[in-house]
Amino acid sequence: MLSLQKPFDLLDTDPDPAARVKRLARDLGNQNDVHARRQAVNILGDLGSPAAVDPLIAALQDQDFPSKYAAEALGQIGDSRAIEPLLSAMGDTRSGMWESAVSALVQIGLDDPSILVPFLEEESTIGVYHALIRLGDPATVTA
């Protein structure tokens, strides 16, 4: 029998945001449907709920998922709990991950932008320079 039930409902208007985040986090764990996982990540980022940070960090670290979308969603939420995992993700060699992590860090904001300076030795340093400029710390740009 064919099931018409969607993994999540894009039109979900549940008044309880925590319940909605919980359902989307469950969909994010659906290893069999990459499309559903990507949609869940996008919606979690759009919701902007701090309750979505932990499931998005797990998706960020999932090697079987295009984690750059999780980085983008974490940037949208702007929660500082994502800073360390995003810094770790900058070492991820998957396509677009490095750039998405830098962009998310800029969106979140860093109390100490100099933590990005060690990444200036990487191959793709232009993103770090742009991040440092956007964060407004000219002293670190000259480092």
Side-chain angles (χ1 to χ4, degrees):
M1 179 169 165
L2 179 65
S3 171
L4 298 177
Q5 181 180 2
K6 296 178 182 177
F8 53 84
D9 185 351
L10 294 174
L11 302 175
D12 184 357
T13 57
D14 190 325
D16 180 7
R20 190 167 185 206
V21 168
K22 187 175 180 178
R23 279 194 304 278
L24 289 164
R26 181 194 64 233
D27 294 332
L28 189 55
N30 181 354
Q31 299 293 326
N32 297 322
D33 190 344
V34 174
H35 178 71
R37 295 178 78 195
R38 183 167 171 198
Q39 289 297 328
V41 164
N42 291 339
I43 295 169
L44 287 168
D46 289 343
L47 288 174
S49 171
V53 172
D54 289 335
L56 287 169
I57 288 172
L60 182 71
Q61 298 165 344
D62 184 345
Q63 294 298 310
D64 295 325
F65 182 69
S67 300
K68 68 180 186 175
Y69 303 111
E72 292 166 3
L74 287 165
Q76 283 181 276
I77 294 170
D79 192 300
S80 63
R81 291 177 291 162
I83 291 174
E84 288 300 321
L86 286 165
L87 287 170
S88 295
M90 288 179 66
D92 192 324
T93 59
R94 289 179 286 171
S95 176
M97 188 62 229
W98 196 91
E99 294 85 354
S100 294
V102 169
S103 178
L105 288 166
V106 169
Q107 286 180 286
I108 293 170
L110 297 173
D111 292 334
D112 180 12
S114 68
I115 63 175
L116 292 177
V117 171
F119 294 99
L120 292 174
E121 298 173 5
E122 300 292 326
E123 292 177 21
S124 304
T125 60
I126 193 72
V128 174
Y129 283 113
H130 285 231
L132 291 170
I133 291 167
R134 287 177 59 194
L135 288 167
D137 190 352
T140 59
V141 176
T142 60

